[in-house]
């Protein structure tokens, strides 16, 4: 019942992203625009557009690595290093970071 349970990883992130993209598509439909389609090019163009304005469209991920142990004791002795400890940027473990959804929504509304 009342206990908090911690979830993370793809199983938590995928439904959140599905909700974000669905909401953005609904906003675009309300102004007579087509759905977004394949998201990765959109996300990278958004990140580049925000960087060109001297802003960040994503919250920098905290330092991590893919060579850590899981909560159930499964460990990986090798993995991908992350860029988050070096000031952010894309990396194979953490991607771009978490989106600043309000800025992403503004960007998406302005697209043709």
């Amino acid at each position: 019942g009342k206990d908090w349970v911690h979830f993370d990883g793809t199983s938590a992130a995928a439904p959140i992203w599905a909700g974000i993209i669905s909401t953005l598509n609904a906003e675009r439909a309300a102004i007579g625009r087509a759905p977004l389609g394949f998201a990765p090019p959109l996300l990278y163009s958004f990140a580049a557009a925000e960087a060109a304005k001297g802003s960040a469209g994503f919250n920098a991920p905290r330092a991590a690595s893919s060579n850590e142990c899981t909560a159930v004791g499964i460990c990986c002795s090798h993995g991908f290093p992350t860029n988050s400890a070096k000031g952010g940027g894309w990396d194979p473990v953490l991607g771009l970071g978490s989106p600043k959804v309000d800025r992403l929504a503004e960007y998406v509304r302005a697209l043709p």
Side-chain angles (χ1 to χ4, degrees), residues 59-111:
N59 297 302
R62 65 172 206 239
S65 173
S66 66
N67 61 348
E68 296 176 352
C69 296
T70 67
V72 293
I74 299 170
C75 298
C76 179
S77 60
H78 60 282
F80 296 103
T82 67
N83 294 324
S84 57
K86 300 173 196 158
W90 181 89
D91 67 57
V93 176
L94 302 169
L96 290 167
S98 61
K100 295 181 179 175
V101 179
D102 56 338
R103 291 187 187 165
L104 178 59
E106 289 174 21
Y107 179 78
V108 164
R109 279 188 222 105
L111 293 174

Side-chain angles (χ1 to χ4, degrees), residues 4-87:
W4 285 91
V5 178
H6 177 81
F7 290 97
D8 58 13
T10 306
S11 297
I16 292 169
W17 270 108
I20 291 169
I21 298 298
S22 294
T23 300
L24 296 175
N25 279 334
E27 288 190 20
R28 287 181 56 81
I31 57 174
R33 300 225 170 96
L36 295 171
F38 187 58
L42 164 77
L43 299 176
Y44 288 103
S45 66
F46 167 63
E50 288 292 305
K53 296 188 302 187
S55 183
F58 292 84
N59 297 302
R62 65 172 206 239
S65 173
S66 66
N67 61 348
E68 296 176 352
C69 296
T70 67
V72 293
I74 299 170
C75 298
C76 179
S77 60
H78 60 282
F80 296 103
T82 67
N83 294 324
S84 57
K86 300 173 196 158

